[in-house]
Amino acid sequence: MLDDALEHLVRGIVDHPDDVQVAAKTLRRGDLLEVRVHPEDLGRVIGRGGRTARALRTVVGALSTEGPVRIDVVDVDRR
């Protein structure tokens, strides 16, 4: 559910919504949501001074009922 919500939010921000992919992973310290975007959209998702990324983390953290959630933003070229 969190990955779908995050994907919806990120698709609304970027210029290349078809390149947005969100992968959910469970780690020992909690859940990890990995967001992959087009290289041209990376700055748009991170935002000035990290404000957009921080806002996304806040919204997803508020939706989470199972504890802390980490969000990593990665461009499509990096694997």
Side-chain angles (χ1 to χ4, degrees):
M1 178 191 111
L2 291 177
D3 52 343
D4 293 334
L6 180 60
E7 184 174 347
H8 179 74
L9 290 171
V10 173
R11 281 180 185 259
I13 307 171
V14 298
D15 291 332
H16 302 91
D18 296 335
D19 291 339
V20 174
Q21 299 173 348
V22 177
K25 300 178 183 178
T26 303
L27 304 175
R28 283 185 283 155
R29 296 187 309 165
D31 292 334
L32 169 69
L33 296 176
E34 188 175 84
V35 180
R36 293 185 181 274
V37 296
H38 192 276
E40 293 176 5
D41 293 329
L42 191 60
R44 199 177 267 271
V45 173
I46 294 173
R48 182 173 292 174
R51 288 182 190 166
T52 306
R54 193 174 320 120
L56 290 170
R57 287 183 179 109
T58 301
V59 169
V60 171
L63 292 174
S64 174
T65 59
E66 301 171 3
V69 177
R70 286 183 37 220
I71 299 175
D72 289 339
V73 179
V74 182
D75 64 0
V76 171
D77 291 338
R78 286 182 45 199
R79 299 280 177 218

